[in-house]
Amino acid sequence: MTTAPRRSTTAGSRRTVGPRRDHGAWFLVLPALLPILVLSVGPLLYGIGLAFTDAQSGRTQPTQWVGALNFSDLLRDSLFWESFRIGLVWAVGVTVPQFVLALGLALLLNLDLRLRWLARALAIIPWAMPEGVVGIMWRLVYHPDAGVLNETLRRLGLAGAGDGRDWLSGLATALPAVILVGIWAGMPQTTVSLLAGLQNVPRELHEAASMDGAGGWRRFRTVTWPAIRPIALAITALNFIWNFNSFALVFVLTDGGPGGRTRLPMLFAYEEAFRYGQFGYAAAMGLAMVAVISVLLAVYLAGRLKRDEDK
């Protein structure tokens, strides 16, 4: 009398246990997946659909499907393209100096200095402040009469007693003043990211380069920069996206003024949606901005990666 091999029974039991484990994993992932689907994917799909309609606030008639009409109107909207240009100037004007200053600060904080822990704690204070609070604080700094900036200029003899300049209302100074605030507010995140990359560079490489007679700049160019280049590429791309999509900081500082000189694309879309009630048109603006920024970012990353491969 022969008996069935036990291996087949074991294999069968393994085949039945696998799916149960998969179901258990899905139950663990589901609580984290549901908020993403409800709060991110759902509104994104709804906004894409809204961009092809004539949805308006206070409208009594049903919303109609208009196809690409909103996008054709957008192509002829000079105000939108002006805001898009301002957004690019803002994004580049904030991202590039922010990275350079953050890299210098990260290199300084990576040195073995006294009270380094205190300097690191002070460096991340702007990161802990909400953008609304940052905007209110800098409005006080730029205040024409009682602001710290004008008072400092008066004490240095660079301005008279009654020469209080309104930095946020001047046509020539509003955008540079807002860019300065954006640089200050975003530096901590870039600094922390670069500092984390610097701390992963082996000290042995710097010591070997020093023994070979390499100076500080050469050690940075041949040892430090190649090690942190991937982090620098990632944080620069993310900063550009975040800065271009900025809203709260500029909204609190200038509300897009004066004369639209600081009206970023997100502010323009906000006005169309919630000030003028053109929800479909505003959704089309958002979708167009996502498409253009995705293309620009893809070209930027492809160019950087190609240069890195050539090196």
Side-chain angles (χ1 to χ4, degrees), residues 282-304:
M285 288 183 187
L287 190 57
M289 286 187 289
V290 170
V292 174
I293 289 301
S294 299
V295 172
L296 292 176
L297 185 61
V299 172
Y300 167 75
L301 292 177
R304 289 295 301 268

Side-chain angles (χ1 to χ4, degrees), residues 183-295:
I183 294 171
W184 181 84
M187 269 189 61
Q189 182 176 358
T190 308
T191 302
V192 170
S193 301
L194 294 175
L195 181 59
L198 290 172
Q199 291 180 338
N200 289 326
V201 180
R203 291 186 177 273
E204 293 79 7
L205 296 178
H206 286 283
E207 294 174 356
S210 298
M211 293 179 63
D212 291 338
W217 169 247
R218 187 177 177 184
R219 290 200 306 271
F220 173 80
R221 185 169 55 86
T222 59
V223 177
T224 305
W225 179 248
I228 67 172
R229 185 190 294 124
I231 297 176
L233 179 63
I235 195 64
T236 303
L238 290 175
N239 281 343
F240 181 81
I241 296 174
W242 289 330
N243 291 327
F244 186 82
N245 293 325
S246 294
F247 172 78
L249 185 62
V250 181
F251 179 77
V252 174
L253 283 170
T254 62
D255 193 18
R261 295 300 176 92
T262 61
R263 185 187 289 128
L264 303 183
M266 290 301 296
L267 277 170
F268 191 75
Y270 170 82
E271 290 179 354
E272 289 293 324
F274 299 103
R275 186 169 295 177
Y276 305 114
Q278 302 294 330
F279 295 132
Y281 192 53
M285 288 183 187
L287 190 57
M289 286 187 289
V290 170
V292 174
I293 289 301
S294 299
V295 172

